[in-house]
Amino acid sequence: MADNIVKIKGSAAEKKNLSGEQKLGEFLGKNFKVLVGVLCAVIAAIVAYVVWFNVSNSIVRKNLDKIEVVEYSFTKDASFIDDSELSSRQEKALSNLTPYLNKGGIVGARANMLAADIYGQKKDWQACKDAWLKAASKRKGTYIESLCNFNAAAAYEELGQSQEALALYEKVSADKNFVDRSRAYFNAARLKEAAGDYEGAKVFYKAIGELGYSNDSWNDLAKTRLIDLENQGKIK
């Protein structure tokens, strides 16, 4: 029977008896060039990312600095200039902001916020609204988005577009990180009331009290509106 057993040849037997460390060493020896290539590629990718990150941050900072210069030139001694000079500054500022309005991230947001503020001063509510919405789109999911949407809602109101304003106030009031939620709720309630939706207004007025803010003037106003609506028999 013993003659029928196939014996393992010497080299195979040696491999079978190799330890884990020996096997690892053999693998590294055979694949050394490949592993070095992979390691070099990883290092190159990390270096490229670090360079890109630093350059990107540097460009962002430079662009923000340029926007700040535009703002400073526009606002410097503004209380001492006449309407003609103000108008001239507004147009110059808007022109200087043009290269940054379509940029992404904080640069585009900041440029459009400043442009929106200028359009608001000019009472160009259509352009003002568009700029606030554009700024909001640059910083989705952040406090800036809600702030810009709130201001866009106010511009919509100036345009007489109450439903669009209401939709934005509702969206902003749902943002738990927005510090002026009570005001957003109040504005939504006010628009609901103006539209004759008194029960809808009641929901928003009451939501202000549920926020738990102390010494909130909007909550005080909301309580006054609820009492008035109840006295008129419009809500129960």
Side-chain angles (χ1 to χ4, degrees), residues 82-234:
D82 58 23
D83 291 343
S84 177
E85 174 63 17
L86 175 60
S87 178
S88 177
R89 285 194 185 188
Q90 289 171 337
E91 295 307 316
K92 184 177 181 179
L94 290 172
S95 177
N96 289 335
L97 286 172
T98 300
Y100 310 102
L101 297 176
N102 290 322
K103 291 188 178 296
I106 188 62
V107 172
R110 186 69 191 90
N112 279 282
M113 290 170 73
L114 180 54
D117 187 42
I118 294 172
Y119 284 126
Q121 292 179 21
K122 291 165 60 68
K123 300 190 184 304
D124 184 347
W125 300 115
Q126 183 66 42
C128 178
K129 177 263 297 180
D130 291 341
W132 282 123
L133 290 177
K134 193 171 182 179
S137 72
K138 306 287 185 180
R139 300 294 290 168
K140 287 186 176 296
T142 68
Y143 171 81
I144 289 178
E145 180 186 15
S146 289
L147 173 65
C148 293
N149 279 334
F150 183 94
N151 290 331
Y156 267 125
E157 284 201 74
E158 293 289 347
L159 292 167
Q161 297 175 264
S162 298
Q163 288 304 309
E164 289 81 358
L166 175 59
L168 283 179
Y169 284 136
E170 288 189 62
K171 182 177 180 179
V172 171
S173 64
D175 181 2
K176 294 181 180 180
N177 295 317
F178 187 60
V179 297
D180 216 359
R181 290 179 75 194
S182 56
R183 186 179 179 186
Y185 271 126
F186 187 89
N187 286 349
R190 173 173 53 76
L191 291 177
K192 286 276 189 182
E193 185 179 345
D197 183 0
Y198 302 115
E199 287 300 321
K202 175 183 175 181
V203 171
F204 283 113
Y205 282 136
K206 290 178 72 70
I208 298 175
E210 294 169 1
L211 291 175
Y213 297 161
S214 59
N215 301 321
D216 190 339
S217 59
W218 297 108
N219 188 32
D220 294 338
L221 288 171
K223 290 178 180 178
T224 300
R225 292 309 309 142
L226 286 170
I227 293 172
D228 190 41
L229 289 173
E230 288 177 1
N231 290 338
Q232 294 180 48
K234 294 179 178 178

Side-chain angles (χ1 to χ4, degrees), residues 55-66 104 106-107:
V55 170
S56 178
N57 278 353
S58 175
I59 293 173
V60 168
R61 184 64 261 170
K62 287 180 180 178
N63 285 334
L64 288 175
D65 287 344
K66 290 176 182 178
I106 188 62
V107 172

